[in-house]
Amino acid sequence: KMALYKAMFYCNNQGDRDPNYIKADSLRIELIAGGLSWAQQDYIMERMSPNEWREVSCLTVMEIYI
């Protein structure tokens, strides 16, 4: 499953500073495509704790999936 989650992560737009990060907006689009409600999206995005450049790390995203 780790390989699948990693592949899904890297299908998104990479962050500007580190290839192990994606833009938080890309993650939000994935959540919308997955059919999550606004409340569910907000809950997940709060747990992601985007950095000052509005990016989230691969490990943080995997913690949510697992």
Side-chain angles (χ1 to χ4, degrees), residues 23-57:
K23 297 176 191 289
D25 292 338
S26 293
L27 179 59
R28 174 77 75 165
I29 290 169
E30 271 195 40
L31 299 176
I32 292 168
L36 274 68
S37 70
W38 285 105
Q40 292 169 320
Q41 293 172 41
D42 290 340
Y43 174 78
I44 289 174
M45 293 307 292
E46 285 174 14
R47 295 207 47 208
M48 289 289 121
S49 302
N51 64 18
E52 61 269 18
W53 297 290
R54 298 280 305 142
E55 298 171 340
V56 294
S57 75

